[in-house]
């Protein structure tokens, strides 16, 4: 076991899969330049050569079809997009070519593609460099969608994603990149479609997605001071969704808050709320609540941007409301920001 | 490379299959919109045979000729048209999404130009694995209006991929001619400036086309660069459906008459008359007709996928 960052965990998973299987290759805009996609492609070109790790023209549409075609012929592409805002230029290929392809051939042709899509907040990135759009991709049949929130999970899930014979869209939140955790050095898989209870508690279930797990843990620590025990469920995979783990947690705590890392309207949080409302109807003491991005394009000015994203403070307030208790004093608590980075471990 | 007789057989199979669609469509049992290849058959026949069938292809919704030229699988063709279970697509594809990746027809797409990028990836995989095989994307002249054509062309040239871009240039995108869609005069000047081999063809002769394609393939082997063919052709029928569309007067019938004189089947058949006995040709045709007719009868009676099974096949299932 060694302390390893989220970005290093991604690099390790990629490296060992490329070493193990010569059909794995990785490409994306700028991934071989010095930034190395936040360090996640460091050393790959040197080790595996420029035929297996390469930069591409700024042609997301064609490149999405390109990786699809290569996968049909037995290669295992990893296509990196440093922002989901750019990834959606490939939407035609995703929605019209890749989504129906396996269905056309009735499940008979392996189609191993990993789209690594980096999401999240920088500082003042504005409406075109800060979207998540997780929900778009869970909405379309034919994709597995993963959003890991810790170094341990990102390494195991990326390994599984690369080995999977289906298209996987793999969301990495930038603010998680610096988080560290003791993890195994050798490669390992984590099953796609399995959620995880990342904190046990009896009073309320928070289902948190991607970065929001960090915010939820911070909120849980604050709430603990007044003896409120939060249970946090990280679904980790958004499609296929581990409904069981969510349902059994809510049946125990009888309350549920979903914190999405995306807009809420028609989003993953709405899907989870619908499932919980139906499956836990008799246990629920309160309606399921949701937090997520405000329903506007992301504004640039710092105070507006802060208001756009949910954080631990919003989670504390939402929990207080659900539990019908007085709001506590949060003065003096410094919440995460672009300057106050989360370094982990969770 | 195929002999004249083989080329003719392939052309005749396509023409006859589509003729049967025309005859039977009114029964309303083939419930899938038809974009007919009628008149344009020489393109996929000449291109695939020019590569000795060693190719993977993607095509547009105008897929009939491409599918049959590549796979010759008229059984799957009709089973798919009738929405029956005993095909790769199990009736989920219909006319617009014909394909059989294991036989080298990867997919047909109903979104103009969207089938093009995949061919670059197929070609990349062949190059990566050092397999001597070409990828081909077939597309209409309308697809050249689309950004993903240019993106694909650019990256194919940049990566020097073994890919053929085959423009099935029938002049029209539904009812809009090229001149109303292009902000430039000469495609050759623009596409020809990419680092590729540029060809034009308007003979309607599958044999001439196969020779040119074969020559292009050899050029690639000597000095790898993608290949672009602009191939003129004429769509005999309406953009969609099984009927002619002269009554709409959007394109002059005299142009049709010109093309009809050099119909691609007629060209090959005339060559056969020189070499072969009339009866042999007649027998060849009848043989194809018999086989196709038998398959159609079977397809009609064959069973369909149970709708309880409609959730199958969304993900790869043989792990
Ligand atoms: C992206 C997209 N836009 C519009 C359409 C509607 N449409 C279907 S066929 C067609 C014309 C395409 O013409 P061309 O590429 O020349 O092919 P052809 O039908 O002549 O074979 C159009 C505009 C479509 N299918 N896809």
């Amino acid at each position: 076991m060694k302390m390893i960052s989220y970005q290093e965990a991604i690099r390790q998973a990629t490296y060992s899969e490329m070493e193990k299987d010569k059909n794995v290759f990785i490409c994306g805009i700028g991934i071989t330049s010095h930034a190395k996609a936040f360090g996640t492609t460091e050393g790959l070109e040197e080790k595996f050569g420029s035929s297996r790790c390469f930069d591409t023209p700024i042609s997301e549409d064609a490149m999405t079809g390109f990786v699809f075609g290569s996968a049909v012929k037995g290669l295992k592409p990893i296509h990196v997009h440093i922002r989901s805002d750019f990834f959606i230029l490939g939407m035609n290929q995703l929605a019209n070519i890749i989504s129906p392809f396996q269905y056309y051939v009735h499940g008979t042709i392996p189609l191993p593609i990993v789209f690594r899509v980096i999401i999240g907040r920088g500082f003042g990135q504005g409406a075109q460099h800060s979207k998540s759009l997780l929900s778009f991709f869970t909405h379309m049949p034919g994709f597995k969608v993963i959003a890991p929130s810790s170094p341990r999970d990102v390494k195991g899930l990326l390994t599984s994603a690369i080995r999977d014979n289906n298209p996987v869209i793999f969301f990495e939140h930038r603010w998680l990149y610096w988080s560290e955790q003791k993890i195994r050095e050798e490669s390992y898989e984590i099953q796609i479609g399995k959620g995880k209870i990342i904190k046990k508690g009896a009073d309320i279930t928070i289902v948190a997605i991607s970065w929001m797990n960090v915010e939820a843990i911070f909120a849980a620590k604050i709430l603990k001071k007044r003896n409120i025990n939060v249970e946090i469920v990280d679904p980790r995979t958004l499609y296929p969704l581990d409904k069981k783990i969510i349902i059994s947690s809510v049946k125990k705590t009888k309350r549920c808050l979903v914190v999405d890392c995306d807009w809420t309207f028609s989003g993953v949080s709405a899907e989870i709320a619908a499932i919980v409302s139906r499956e836990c109807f008799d246990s629920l003491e309160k309606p399921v609540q949701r937090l997520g991005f405000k329903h506007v394009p992301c504004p640039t000015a710092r105070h507006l941007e802060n208001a756009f994203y949910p954080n631990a403070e919003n989670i504390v307030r939402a929990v207080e409301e659900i539990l019908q208790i007085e709001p506590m004093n949060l003065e003096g608590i410094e919440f995460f920001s672009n300057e106050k980075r989360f370094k982990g471990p969770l | 490379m195929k002999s004249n007789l083989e080329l003719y057989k392939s052309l005749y199979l396509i023409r006859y299959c589509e003729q049967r669609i025309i005859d039977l469509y009114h029964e309303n049992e083939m419930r899938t919109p038809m974009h007919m290849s009628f008149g344009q058959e020489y393109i996929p026949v000449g291109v695939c045979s020019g590569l000795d069938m060693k190719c993977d292809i993607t095509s547009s919704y105008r897929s009939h000729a491409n599918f049959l030229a590549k796979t010759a699988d008229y059984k799957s063709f009709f089973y798919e048209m009738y929405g029956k279970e005993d095909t790769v697509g199990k009736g989920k594809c219909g006319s617009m999404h014909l394909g059989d990746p294991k036989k080298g027809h990867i997919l047909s797409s109903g979104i103009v130009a969207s089938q093009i990028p995949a061919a670059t990836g197929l070609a990349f995989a062949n190059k990566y694995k050092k397999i001597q095989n070409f990828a081909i994307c077939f597309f209409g002249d309308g697809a050249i209006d689309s950004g993903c054509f240019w993106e694909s062309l650019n990256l194919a040239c940049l990566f020097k991929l073994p890919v053929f871009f085959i423009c099935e240039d029938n002049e029209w995108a539904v009812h809009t001619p090229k001149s109303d869609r292009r902000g430039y005069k000469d495609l050759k000047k623009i596409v020809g400036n990419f680092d590729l081999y540029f060809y034009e063809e308007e003979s309607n002769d599958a044999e001439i086309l196969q020779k040119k394609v074969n020559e292009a393939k050899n050029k690639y082997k000597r000095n790898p660069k993608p290949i672009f063919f602009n191939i003129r052709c004429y769509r005999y029928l309406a953009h969609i459906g099984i009927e002619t569309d002269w009554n709409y007067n959007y394109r002059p019938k005299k142009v049709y008459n010109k093309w009809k004189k050099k119909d691609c089947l007629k060209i090959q058949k005339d060559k056969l008359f020189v070499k072969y006995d009339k009866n042999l040709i007649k027998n060849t045709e009848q043989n194809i007709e018999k086989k196709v007719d038998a398959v159609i009868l079977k397809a009609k009676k064959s069973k369909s996928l149970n709708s309880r099974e409609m959730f199958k096949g969304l993900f790869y299932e043989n792990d």
Side-chain angles (χ1 to χ4, degrees):
Chain A
M1 304 278 265
K2 221 178 160 183
M3 275 303 253
I4 279 178
S5 68
Y6 190 97
Q7 69 200 51
E8 170 61 11
I10 292 169
R11 198 196 66 83
Q12 286 184 3
T14 312
Y15 190 97
S16 48
E17 289 315 291
M18 288 182 81
E19 198 168 40
K20 190 173 137 265
D21 186 344
K22 64 176 185 344
N23 290 325
V24 178
F25 75 92
I26 184 165
C27 62
I29 296 171
I31 67 159
T32 55
S33 69
H34 62 275
K36 306 283 182 197
F38 298 90
T40 59
T41 58
E42 188 73 55
L44 300 178
E45 190 186 11
E46 291 79 351
K47 167 77 181 175
F48 302 108
S50 54
S51 61
R52 295 184 63 195
C53 175
F54 55 91
D55 202 338
T56 79
I58 309 155
S59 307
E60 287 85 357
D61 187 359
M63 280 306 302
T64 306
F66 172 96
V67 294
F68 159 79
S70 75
V72 171
K73 289 299 275 183
L75 298 188
K76 297 185 171 185
I78 304 170
H79 193 193
V80 184
H81 296 267
I82 57 161
R83 297 197 195 287
S84 70
D85 313 66
F86 311 156
F87 179 45
I88 54 171
L89 272 86
M91 206 57 157
N92 180 28
Q93 291 297 311
L94 293 164
N96 284 317
I97 299 289
I98 301 177
S99 165
F101 176 77
Q102 193 63 263
Y103 195 59
Y104 291 155
V105 297
H106 206 63
T108 56
I109 307 284
L111 195 62
I113 313 173
V114 177
F115 295 103
R116 277 187 48 209
V117 183
I118 300 171
I119 59 171
R121 235 164 132 171
F123 65 101
Q125 302 278 351
Q128 296 177 337
H129 289 64
S130 61
K131 288 190 281 296
S132 292
L133 306 173
L134 306 166
S135 302
F136 277 22
F137 304 98
T138 58
H139 188 66
M140 288 185 291
F143 296 96
K144 299 185 181 182
V145 182
I146 306 179
S149 67
S150 69
R152 185 179 302 134
D153 287 352
V154 84
K155 183 165 170 179
L157 281 164
L158 184 55
T159 304
S160 300
I162 297 169
R163 292 178 191 175
D164 201 285
N165 275 318
N166 293 287
V168 176
I169 303 177
F170 196 86
F171 286 100
E172 305 158 12
H173 195 290
R174 284 156 54 124
W175 279 15
L176 291 166
Y177 274 174
W178 304 281
S179 65
E180 291 188 336
Q181 199 174 27
K182 272 206 164 112
I183 64 175
R184 279 191 278 158
E185 278 171 76
E186 69 277 14
S187 89
Y188 57 89
E189 289 186 37
I190 290 176
Q191 195 185 334
I192 296 172
K194 276 263 178 288
K196 185 162 118 184
I197 310 265
I198 60 171
K199 186 187 163 304
K200 276 199 181 305
D203 298 328
I204 182 169
T205 299
I206 296 180
V207 183
I209 289 161
S210 180
W211 165 256
M212 291 305 154
N213 281 284
V214 175
E215 299 285 0
I217 288 202
F218 195 44
K221 283 187 182 147
I222 297 168
L223 287 160
K224 179 76 187 146
K225 287 187 213 152
R226 57 192 302 194
N227 235 348
I228 291 159
N229 288 307
V230 167
E231 177 145 305
I232 302 172
V233 181
D234 178 2
R236 303 193 289 189
T237 300
L238 305 180
Y239 194 94
L241 185 68
D242 188 349
K243 297 178 195 172
K244 271 198 201 136
I245 198 169
I246 298 170
I247 292 164
S248 69
S249 172
V250 178
K251 281 193 170 159
K252 185 182 77 177
T253 64
K254 304 186 169 41
R255 292 166 188 91
C256 181
L257 169 68
V258 188
V259 191
D260 201 353
C261 200
D262 199 353
W263 288 301
T264 50
F265 196 89
S266 299
V268 170
S269 69
E271 184 65 36
I272 294 173
I275 292 166
V276 170
S277 302
R278 196 185 59 210
E279 300 295 328
C280 309
F281 189 70
D282 293 333
S283 333
L284 280 172
E285 301 256 345
K286 287 276 166 191
V288 183
Q289 295 289 328
R290 296 187 287 143
L291 287 176
F293 299 172
K294 302 295 182 301
H295 202 71
V296 291
C298 181
T300 300
R302 176 63 70 97
H303 66 295
L304 298 176
E305 190 190 50
N306 285 344
F308 175 81
Y309 292 105
N311 69 353
E313 181 179 1
N314 306 132
I315 295 172
V316 170
R317 296 297 180 226
V319 170
E320 289 168 340
E321 201 186 310
I322 295 169
L323 296 175
Q324 287 176 300
I325 53 174
E326 287 299 307
M328 66 191 286
N329 184 359
L330 297 176
E331 251 171 65
I333 298 177
E334 202 190 341
F335 293 96
F336 293 115
S337 66
N338 195 48
E339 290 73 33
K340 186 186 181 261
R341 287 175 174 177
F342 170 67
K343 296 273 165 58
L346 273 175
Chain B
M1 303 275 271
K2 281 187 171 162
S3 67
N4 290 102
L5 186 61
E6 290 303 314
L7 288 173
Y8 184 68
K9 277 187 189 168
S10 185
L11 291 167
Y12 195 80
L13 174 69
I14 300 166
R15 180 71 57 98
Y16 188 69
C17 285
E18 284 205 321
Q19 185 55 53
R20 296 308 285 154
I21 292 174
I22 294 171
D23 299 340
L24 300 170
Y25 203 49
H26 71 275
E27 295 176 346
N28 217 7
E29 286 179 50
M30 288 183 260
R31 304 193 64 116
T32 169
M34 300 290 183
H35 298 82
M36 305 292 273
S37 301
F38 227 94
Q40 307 187 178
E41 300 91 336
Y42 89 108
I43 298 178
V45 169
V47 173
C48 293
S49 60
L51 295 172
D52 296 314
M53 312 308 276
K54 286 191 197 118
C55 52
D56 293 298
I57 72 168
T58 68
S59 61
S60 77
Y61 47 85
R62 201 172 298 290
S63 60
H64 299 172
N66 309 68
F67 182 83
L68 291 167
K70 175 62 185 152
T71 70
D73 185 356
Y74 52 93
K75 183 203 152 204
S76 291
F77 179 82
F78 277 108
Y79 275 56
E80 199 53 55
M81 296 300 173
Y82 280 103
K84 298 305 170 102
E85 184 177 6
D86 194 15
T87 95
V88 178
K90 309 247 174 283
K92 296 187 281 190
C93 299
S95 162
M96 274 203 278
H97 306 301
L98 285 175
D100 185 345
K102 287 182 180 158
K103 291 185 177 159
H105 189 176
I106 307 302
L107 59 88
S108 306
S109 179
I111 306 297
V112 170
S114 68
Q115 72 278 16
I116 299 172
T120 64
L122 299 166
F124 174 76
N126 285 332
K127 192 174 165 183
Y128 190 101
K129 294 179 159 189
K130 301 192 167 61
I131 298 170
Q132 302 273 329
N133 209 338
F134 284 84
I136 306 173
C137 46
F138 293 96
F139 51 88
D141 49 282
I144 289 181
D145 303 352
S146 167
C148 82
F149 162 75
W150 296 98
E151 287 191 5
S152 303
L153 193 70
N154 179 57
L155 67 91
C157 295
L158 179 72
F159 298 157
K160 301 188 186 309
L161 298 175
V163 57
F164 280 73
F165 291 86
I166 304 291
C167 181
E168 302 169 302
D169 178 2
N170 63 15
E171 180 78 30
W172 297 89
V174 193
H175 305 135
T176 313
K178 277 187 296 198
S179 54
D180 287 359
R181 292 182 279 111
R182 295 188 174 175
Y184 52 88
K185 288 196 181 61
D186 191 351
L187 183 74
K188 183 179 179 179
K189 279 200 179 136
I190 300 173
V191 171
N193 245 329
F194 281 77
D195 202 11
L196 48 66
Y197 300 113
F198 186 95
Y199 286 85
E200 281 169 312
E201 182 57 40
E202 53 182 344
S203 66
N204 240 9
D205 184 332
E207 191 188 7
I208 295 179
L209 181 58
Q210 87 167 344
K211 248 188 226 142
K212 280 198 180 170
V213 166
N214 199 265
E215 174 201 309
K217 176 187 92 172
N218 291 330
K219 273 195 180 172
Y220 180 92
K221 284 186 173 162
R222 283 194 299 276
N223 182 12
K225 289 179 191 188
I227 296 118
F228 181 99
F229 269 81
N230 196 75
I231 308 179
R232 296 300 308 274
C233 59
Y234 197 82
R235 144 167 82 69
Y236 287 12
L237 303 177
H239 167 73
I240 185 165
I242 54 161
E243 314 206 332
T244 58
D245 59 359
W246 315 119
N247 48 333
Y248 296 112
N249 286 328
Y250 71 94
R251 49 179 193 165
K253 196 171 178 189
K254 64 174 193 290
V255 182
Y256 164 69
N257 293 334
K258 194 189 92 190
W259 281 88
K260 184 82 177 109
K261 271 189 215 125
K262 56 169 187 174
D263 177 80
C264 61
L265 270 87
K266 187 177 172 297
I267 288 180
Q268 292 313 318
K269 200 171 175 173
D270 287 347
K271 293 186 202 176
L272 295 183
F273 282 139
V274 181
K275 278 195 210 161
Y276 298 101
D277 179 71
K278 259 191 187 150
N279 287 328
L280 182 133
I281 302 165
K282 187 102 212 113
N283 282 343
T284 306
E285 291 178 350
Q286 280 172 347
N287 245 329
I288 291 170
E289 289 169 18
K290 252 192 249 153
K291 285 187 197 159
V292 169
D293 288 342
V295 148
I296 291 173
L297 284 178
K298 269 196 183 165
K300 285 176 162 223
K301 288 190 214 132
S302 165
K303 76 176 180 11
S304 301
L305 187 71
N306 188 313
S307 41
R308 274 195 306 272
E309 309 236 342
M310 73 174 287
F311 292 103
K312 283 200 177 155
L314 182 59
F315 290 102
Y316 180 67
E317 284 174 352
N318 296 358
D319 276 338

